Each structure stands twice: as C-alpha cells, then as structure tokens.
Amino acid sequence: MLSDSIRVLRQSKENESGKIGEALILRGFEIEARNMEERLQQVTGRPHVPFDGNLVSQPDGEAVQP
C-alpha cells in the first residue's frame, strides 16, 4: 500500500541525522495516503492493495490481464 511505502521511507529519514523536517513532511503524506486508502475501500468495497499492477480482490467477472 502507498501508506506503507511512505512509512518505510519516513523511518529511513528519521534515522538520518538532520532529516527530521523531511520525516515530518513524509508523516503528513503517510496520513493522507492512509485516509485515501480507507476511503477507496469504503467506496469500492475492496482494499487498495496493488499486486502486480492489479487489485488483490477483483470483482467477479473481471479478468486479470498479464
């Protein structure tokens, strides 16, 4: 998920000295991404989880394209 990727990037910036400002900005982006993911799940009924370019839980009748 997007928020998980941003979290990993934020944690790496927190470990670097002098990167606290960047870590705080990334924390804001992480919160917004998680909010977006939750809204997408509420609207579509599916989690926003990319897996090889497709959603993990696809609606019935929708084929996975390679």
Side-chain angles (χ1 to χ4, degrees):
M1 294 169 77
L2 178 61
S3 60
D4 295 331
S5 300
I6 295 173
R7 179 177 37 85
V8 170
L9 180 60
R10 177 182 53 85
Q11 289 172 343
S12 70
K13 293 293 182 183
E14 286 176 345
N15 293 333
E16 297 177 22
S17 60
K19 302 289 184 175
I20 299 301
E22 291 178 21
L24 288 174
I25 292 170
L26 288 170
R27 177 64 178 146
F29 288 151
E30 179 185 350
I31 291 168
E32 289 299 320
R34 188 163 312 279
N35 184 25
M36 177 203 62
E37 293 164 353
E38 289 173 358
R39 286 183 183 190
L40 281 171
Q41 184 169 1
Q42 289 173 352
V43 170
T44 63
R46 298 184 309 243
H48 177 71
V49 183
F51 182 72
D52 290 332
N54 298 301
L55 289 177
V56 171
S57 59
Q58 294 186 353
D60 292 336
E62 190 173 313
V64 177
Q65 298 178 3

mmCIF file of all heavy atoms in Angstrom, residues 15-48:
data_model
loop_
_atom_site.group_PDB
_atom_site.id
_atom_site.type_symbol
_atom_site.label_atom_id
_atom_site.label_comp_id
_atom_site.label_asym_id
_atom_site.label_seq_id
_atom_site.Cartn_x
_atom_site.Cartn_y
_atom_site.Cartn_z
ATOM 1 N N ASN A 15 16.110 8.055 10.743
ATOM 2 C CA ASN A 15 17.386 7.502 11.202
ATOM 3 C C ASN A 15 18.573 8.338 10.747
ATOM 4 O O ASN A 15 19.650 8.262 11.336
ATOM 5 C CB ASN A 15 17.546 6.061 10.718
ATOM 6 C CG ASN A 15 16.538 5.131 11.366
ATOM 7 O OD1 ASN A 15 16.070 5.387 12.466
ATOM 8 N ND2 ASN A 15 16.210 4.060 10.682
ATOM 9 N N GLU A 16 18.400 9.138 9.691
ATOM 10 C CA GLU A 16 19.473 10.001 9.210
ATOM 11 C C GLU A 16 19.491 11.285 10.028
ATOM 12 O O GLU A 16 18.455 11.831 10.366
ATOM 13 C CB GLU A 16 19.265 10.347 7.737
ATOM 14 C CG GLU A 16 19.312 9.162 6.813
ATOM 15 C CD GLU A 16 19.029 9.543 5.370
ATOM 16 O OE1 GLU A 16 19.210 10.726 5.024
ATOM 17 O OE2 GLU A 16 18.607 8.661 4.619
ATOM 18 N N SER A 17 20.680 11.752 10.360
ATOM 19 C CA SER A 17 20.762 12.986 11.141
ATOM 20 C C SER A 17 20.439 14.177 10.247
ATOM 21 O O SER A 17 20.826 14.235 9.085
ATOM 22 C CB SER A 17 22.170 13.147 11.727
ATOM 23 O OG SER A 17 23.122 13.193 10.691
ATOM 24 N N GLY A 18 19.699 15.139 10.790
ATOM 25 C CA GLY A 18 19.353 16.348 10.060
ATOM 26 C C GLY A 18 18.194 16.194 9.095
ATOM 27 O O GLY A 18 17.932 17.083 8.293
ATOM 28 N N LYS A 19 17.473 15.084 9.129
ATOM 29 C CA LYS A 19 16.374 14.831 8.195
ATOM 30 C C LYS A 19 15.013 14.832 8.898
ATOM 31 O O LYS A 19 14.055 14.290 8.390
ATOM 32 C CB LYS A 19 16.566 13.481 7.483
ATOM 33 C CG LYS A 19 17.857 13.353 6.720
ATOM 34 C CD LYS A 19 17.840 14.222 5.481
ATOM 35 C CE LYS A 19 19.111 13.988 4.680
ATOM 36 N NZ LYS A 19 19.121 14.701 3.437
ATOM 37 N N ILE A 20 14.926 15.482 10.062
ATOM 38 C CA ILE A 20 13.680 15.481 10.828
ATOM 39 C C ILE A 20 12.576 16.202 10.067
ATOM 40 O O ILE A 20 11.424 15.767 10.057
ATOM 41 C CB ILE A 20 13.892 16.122 12.216
ATOM 42 C CG1 ILE A 20 14.924 15.327 13.011
ATOM 43 C CG2 ILE A 20 12.579 16.215 12.986
ATOM 44 C CD1 ILE A 20 14.566 13.883 13.251
ATOM 45 N N GLY A 21 12.890 17.315 9.411
ATOM 46 C CA GLY A 21 11.889 18.058 8.646
ATOM 47 C C GLY A 21 11.287 17.217 7.533
ATOM 48 O O GLY A 21 10.067 17.215 7.331
ATOM 49 N N GLU A 22 12.132 16.498 6.828
ATOM 50 C CA GLU A 22 11.645 15.617 5.763
ATOM 51 C C GLU A 22 10.787 14.497 6.332
ATOM 52 O O GLU A 22 9.784 14.110 5.738
ATOM 53 C CB GLU A 22 12.817 15.031 4.977
ATOM 54 C CG GLU A 22 13.551 16.052 4.139
ATOM 55 C CD GLU A 22 14.738 15.464 3.407
ATOM 56 O OE1 GLU A 22 14.778 14.229 3.219
ATOM 57 O OE2 GLU A 22 15.614 16.240 3.024
ATOM 58 N N ALA A 23 11.161 13.986 7.492
ATOM 59 C CA ALA A 23 10.393 12.913 8.126
ATOM 60 C C ALA A 23 9.007 13.416 8.526
ATOM 61 O O ALA A 23 8.012 12.695 8.370
ATOM 62 C CB ALA A 23 11.138 12.362 9.343
ATOM 63 N N LEU A 24 8.914 14.653 9.003
ATOM 64 C CA LEU A 24 7.608 15.207 9.379
ATOM 65 C C LEU A 24 6.725 15.401 8.151
ATOM 66 O O LEU A 24 5.518 15.139 8.197
ATOM 67 C CB LEU A 24 7.789 16.529 10.117
ATOM 68 C CG LEU A 24 8.352 16.418 11.531
ATOM 69 C CD1 LEU A 24 8.625 17.802 12.099
ATOM 70 C CD2 LEU A 24 7.423 15.640 12.427
ATOM 71 N N ILE A 25 7.297 15.862 7.055
ATOM 72 C CA ILE A 25 6.541 16.021 5.809
ATOM 73 C C ILE A 25 6.039 14.666 5.330
ATOM 74 O O ILE A 25 4.876 14.517 4.943
ATOM 75 C CB ILE A 25 7.401 16.708 4.736
ATOM 76 C CG1 ILE A 25 7.659 18.163 5.137
ATOM 77 C CG2 ILE A 25 6.742 16.631 3.363
ATOM 78 C CD1 ILE A 25 8.692 18.863 4.285
ATOM 79 N N LEU A 26 6.905 13.657 5.371
ATOM 80 C CA LEU A 26 6.507 12.311 4.948
ATOM 81 C C LEU A 26 5.434 11.737 5.870
ATOM 82 O O LEU A 26 4.558 10.995 5.413
ATOM 83 C CB LEU A 26 7.723 11.383 4.903
ATOM 84 C CG LEU A 26 8.687 11.652 3.743
ATOM 85 C CD1 LEU A 26 9.966 10.845 3.931
ATOM 86 C CD2 LEU A 26 8.031 11.328 2.420
ATOM 87 N N ARG A 27 5.454 12.094 7.148
ATOM 88 C CA ARG A 27 4.410 11.629 8.071
ATOM 89 C C ARG A 27 3.049 12.189 7.650
ATOM 90 O O ARG A 27 2.043 11.484 7.672
ATOM 91 C CB ARG A 27 4.752 12.053 9.513
ATOM 92 C CG ARG A 27 3.710 11.675 10.531
ATOM 93 C CD ARG A 27 3.549 10.177 10.654
ATOM 94 N NE ARG A 27 2.551 9.893 11.683
ATOM 95 C CZ ARG A 27 1.722 8.878 11.638
ATOM 96 N NH1 ARG A 27 1.782 8.012 10.658
ATOM 97 N NH2 ARG A 27 0.844 8.697 12.586
ATOM 98 N N GLY A 28 3.029 13.456 7.240
ATOM 99 C CA GLY A 28 1.790 14.050 6.740
ATOM 100 C C GLY A 28 1.294 13.340 5.495
ATOM 101 O O GLY A 28 0.099 13.055 5.354
ATOM 102 N N PHE A 29 2.211 13.043 4.569
ATOM 103 C CA PHE A 29 1.842 12.305 3.356
ATOM 104 C C PHE A 29 1.327 10.911 3.703
ATOM 105 O O PHE A 29 0.390 10.406 3.085
ATOM 106 C CB PHE A 29 3.028 12.178 2.401
ATOM 107 C CG PHE A 29 3.410 13.451 1.715
ATOM 108 C CD1 PHE A 29 4.718 13.679 1.332
ATOM 109 C CD2 PHE A 29 2.474 14.432 1.432
ATOM 110 C CE1 PHE A 29 5.085 14.845 0.684
ATOM 111 C CE2 PHE A 29 2.828 15.603 0.788
ATOM 112 C CZ PHE A 29 4.140 15.816 0.410
ATOM 113 N N GLU A 30 1.943 10.277 4.697
ATOM 114 C CA GLU A 30 1.524 8.938 5.121
ATOM 115 C C GLU A 30 0.092 8.955 5.648
ATOM 116 O O GLU A 30 -0.723 8.085 5.306
ATOM 117 C CB GLU A 30 2.477 8.441 6.202
ATOM 118 C CG GLU A 30 2.153 7.077 6.748
ATOM 119 C CD GLU A 30 3.070 6.692 7.898
ATOM 120 O OE1 GLU A 30 4.067 7.383 8.162
ATOM 121 O OE2 GLU A 30 2.762 5.684 8.558
ATOM 122 N N ILE A 31 -0.239 9.964 6.449
ATOM 123 C CA ILE A 31 -1.594 10.079 6.996
ATOM 124 C C ILE A 31 -2.602 10.280 5.874
ATOM 125 O O ILE A 31 -3.665 9.652 5.855
ATOM 126 C CB ILE A 31 -1.655 11.223 8.024
ATOM 127 C CG1 ILE A 31 -0.850 10.850 9.270
ATOM 128 C CG2 ILE A 31 -3.099 11.557 8.392
ATOM 129 C CD1 ILE A 31 -0.613 12.013 10.226
ATOM 130 N N GLU A 32 -2.283 11.158 4.927
ATOM 131 C CA GLU A 32 -3.184 11.415 3.807
ATOM 132 C C GLU A 32 -3.354 10.169 2.926
ATOM 133 O O GLU A 32 -4.454 9.878 2.455
ATOM 134 C CB GLU A 32 -2.683 12.590 2.973
ATOM 135 C CG GLU A 32 -2.834 13.916 3.665
ATOM 136 C CD GLU A 32 -4.273 14.255 3.997
ATOM 137 O OE1 GLU A 32 -5.167 13.986 3.168
ATOM 138 O OE2 GLU A 32 -4.505 14.783 5.091
ATOM 139 N N ALA A 33 -2.286 9.426 2.699
ATOM 140 C CA ALA A 33 -2.366 8.212 1.877
ATOM 141 C C ALA A 33 -3.237 7.162 2.559
ATOM 142 O O ALA A 33 -4.052 6.502 1.908
ATOM 143 C CB ALA A 33 -0.967 7.656 1.616
ATOM 144 N N ARG A 34 -3.088 7.016 3.869
ATOM 145 C CA ARG A 34 -3.911 6.038 4.598
ATOM 146 C C ARG A 34 -5.383 6.441 4.541
ATOM 147 O O ARG A 34 -6.264 5.598 4.364
ATOM 148 C CB ARG A 34 -3.443 5.909 6.046
ATOM 149 C CG ARG A 34 -4.134 4.771 6.770
ATOM 150 C CD ARG A 34 -3.432 4.339 8.032
ATOM 151 N NE ARG A 34 -2.012 4.113 7.924
ATOM 152 C CZ ARG A 34 -1.437 3.001 7.457
ATOM 153 N NH1 ARG A 34 -2.193 2.018 7.020
ATOM 154 N NH2 ARG A 34 -0.137 2.874 7.432
ATOM 155 N N ASN A 35 -5.663 7.737 4.657
ATOM 156 C CA ASN A 35 -7.028 8.233 4.556
ATOM 157 C C ASN A 35 -7.608 7.914 3.174
ATOM 158 O O ASN A 35 -8.744 7.463 3.054
ATOM 159 C CB ASN A 35 -7.051 9.741 4.827
ATOM 160 C CG ASN A 35 -8.447 10.307 4.840
ATOM 161 O OD1 ASN A 35 -9.409 9.602 5.101
ATOM 162 N ND2 ASN A 35 -8.550 11.595 4.565
ATOM 163 N N MET A 36 -6.816 8.134 2.119
ATOM 164 C CA MET A 36 -7.258 7.830 0.760
ATOM 165 C C MET A 36 -7.551 6.338 0.598
ATOM 166 O O MET A 36 -8.570 5.953 0.024
ATOM 167 C CB MET A 36 -6.192 8.244 -0.260
ATOM 168 C CG MET A 36 -6.556 7.893 -1.695
ATOM 169 S SD MET A 36 -5.149 7.741 -2.804
ATOM 170 C CE MET A 36 -4.248 6.389 -2.092
ATOM 171 N N GLU A 37 -6.670 5.503 1.142
ATOM 172 C CA GLU A 37 -6.860 4.058 1.044
ATOM 173 C C GLU A 37 -8.140 3.618 1.758
ATOM 174 O O GLU A 37 -8.875 2.770 1.240
ATOM 175 C CB GLU A 37 -5.643 3.336 1.634
ATOM 176 C CG GLU A 37 -4.390 3.532 0.826
ATOM 177 C CD GLU A 37 -3.128 3.174 1.578
ATOM 178 O OE1 GLU A 37 -3.186 2.894 2.789
ATOM 179 O OE2 GLU A 37 -2.068 3.206 0.940
ATOM 180 N N GLU A 38 -8.412 4.198 2.917
ATOM 181 C CA GLU A 38 -9.626 3.849 3.652
ATOM 182 C C GLU A 38 -10.873 4.293 2.890
ATOM 183 O O GLU A 38 -11.868 3.573 2.835
ATOM 184 C CB GLU A 38 -9.596 4.473 5.041
ATOM 185 C CG GLU A 38 -8.579 3.830 5.959
ATOM 186 C CD GLU A 38 -8.422 4.565 7.279
ATOM 187 O OE1 GLU A 38 -9.078 5.607 7.486
ATOM 188 O OE2 GLU A 38 -7.628 4.089 8.107
ATOM 189 N N ARG A 39 -10.829 5.466 2.287
ATOM 190 C CA ARG A 39 -11.971 5.940 1.505
ATOM 191 C C ARG A 39 -12.203 5.070 0.276
ATOM 192 O O ARG A 39 -13.345 4.760 -0.066
ATOM 193 C CB ARG A 39 -11.761 7.383 1.064
ATOM 194 C CG ARG A 39 -11.928 8.369 2.183
ATOM 195 C CD ARG A 39 -11.787 9.767 1.674
ATOM 196 N NE ARG A 39 -11.890 10.710 2.771
ATOM 197 C CZ ARG A 39 -11.997 11.999 2.612
ATOM 198 N NH1 ARG A 39 -12.012 12.514 1.403
ATOM 199 N NH2 ARG A 39 -12.086 12.796 3.658
ATOM 200 N N LEU A 40 -11.138 4.673 -0.401
ATOM 201 C CA LEU A 40 -11.285 3.786 -1.557
ATOM 202 C C LEU A 40 -11.923 2.461 -1.149
ATOM 203 O O LEU A 40 -12.761 1.924 -1.868
ATOM 204 C CB LEU A 40 -9.930 3.533 -2.222
ATOM 205 C CG LEU A 40 -9.410 4.634 -3.122
ATOM 206 C CD1 LEU A 40 -7.975 4.351 -3.527
ATOM 207 C CD2 LEU A 40 -10.275 4.787 -4.350
ATOM 208 N N GLN A 41 -11.528 1.943 -0.004
ATOM 209 C CA GLN A 41 -12.101 0.679 0.445
ATOM 210 C C GLN A 41 -13.574 0.843 0.779
ATOM 211 O O GLN A 41 -14.390 -0.030 0.478
ATOM 212 C CB GLN A 41 -11.347 0.147 1.658
ATOM 213 C CG GLN A 41 -11.853 -1.214 2.097
ATOM 214 C CD GLN A 41 -10.962 -1.867 3.121
ATOM 215 O OE1 GLN A 41 -9.954 -1.295 3.533
ATOM 216 N NE2 GLN A 41 -11.309 -3.053 3.538
ATOM 217 N N GLN A 42 -13.959 1.971 1.378
ATOM 218 C CA GLN A 42 -15.364 2.206 1.704
ATOM 219 C C GLN A 42 -16.197 2.331 0.437
ATOM 220 O O GLN A 42 -17.312 1.820 0.365
ATOM 221 C CB GLN A 42 -15.510 3.470 2.549
ATOM 222 C CG GLN A 42 -14.988 3.316 3.945
ATOM 223 C CD GLN A 42 -14.997 4.632 4.714
ATOM 224 O OE1 GLN A 42 -15.264 5.692 4.157
ATOM 225 N NE2 GLN A 42 -14.692 4.562 5.999
ATOM 226 N N VAL A 43 -15.673 3.019 -0.578
ATOM 227 C CA VAL A 43 -16.426 3.263 -1.807
ATOM 228 C C VAL A 43 -16.518 2.007 -2.668
ATOM 229 O O VAL A 43 -17.584 1.663 -3.174
ATOM 230 C CB VAL A 43 -15.790 4.418 -2.608
ATOM 231 C CG1 VAL A 43 -16.390 4.533 -3.996
ATOM 232 C CG2 VAL A 43 -15.944 5.729 -1.857
ATOM 233 N N THR A 44 -15.398 1.306 -2.831
ATOM 234 C CA THR A 44 -15.371 0.159 -3.741
ATOM 235 C C THR A 44 -15.674 -1.160 -3.052
ATOM 236 O O THR A 44 -16.008 -2.135 -3.716
ATOM 237 C CB THR A 44 -13.994 0.030 -4.421
ATOM 238 O OG1 THR A 44 -12.997 -0.215 -3.428
ATOM 239 C CG2 THR A 44 -13.654 1.281 -5.214
ATOM 240 N N GLY A 45 -15.503 -1.219 -1.740
ATOM 241 C CA GLY A 45 -15.695 -2.472 -1.022
ATOM 242 C C GLY A 45 -14.496 -3.393 -1.130
ATOM 243 O O GLY A 45 -14.540 -4.537 -0.703
ATOM 244 N N ARG A 46 -13.417 -2.907 -1.731
ATOM 245 C CA ARG A 46 -12.188 -3.697 -1.883
ATOM 246 C C ARG A 46 -11.022 -2.916 -1.296
ATOM 247 O O ARG A 46 -10.982 -1.695 -1.397
ATOM 248 C CB ARG A 46 -11.898 -3.951 -3.360
ATOM 249 C CG ARG A 46 -12.951 -4.735 -4.072
ATOM 250 C CD ARG A 46 -12.516 -5.004 -5.505
ATOM 251 N NE ARG A 46 -12.104 -3.794 -6.173
ATOM 252 C CZ ARG A 46 -12.703 -3.282 -7.234
ATOM 253 N NH1 ARG A 46 -13.737 -3.883 -7.750
ATOM 254 N NH2 ARG A 46 -12.255 -2.186 -7.790
ATOM 255 N N PRO A 47 -10.063 -3.601 -0.722
ATOM 256 C CA PRO A 47 -8.888 -2.883 -0.220
ATOM 257 C C PRO A 47 -8.034 -2.376 -1.380
ATOM 258 O O PRO A 47 -8.017 -2.966 -2.455
ATOM 259 C CB PRO A 47 -8.138 -3.947 0.584
ATOM 260 C CG PRO A 47 -8.591 -5.235 0.025
ATOM 261 C CD PRO A 47 -10.002 -5.027 -0.462
ATOM 262 N N HIS A 48 -7.358 -1.276 -1.140
ATOM 263 C CA HIS A 48 -6.459 -0.708 -2.145
ATOM 264 C C HIS A 48 -5.090 -1.357 -1.965
ATOM 265 O O HIS A 48 -4.221 -0.839 -1.274
ATOM 266 C CB HIS A 48 -6.364 0.804 -1.972
ATOM 267 C CG HIS A 48 -5.407 1.459 -2.899
ATOM 268 N ND1 HIS A 48 -5.650 1.581 -4.241
ATOM 269 C CD2 HIS A 48 -4.208 2.031 -2.696
ATOM 270 C CE1 HIS A 48 -4.636 2.198 -4.817
ATOM 271 N NE2 HIS A 48 -3.750 2.478 -3.901
#
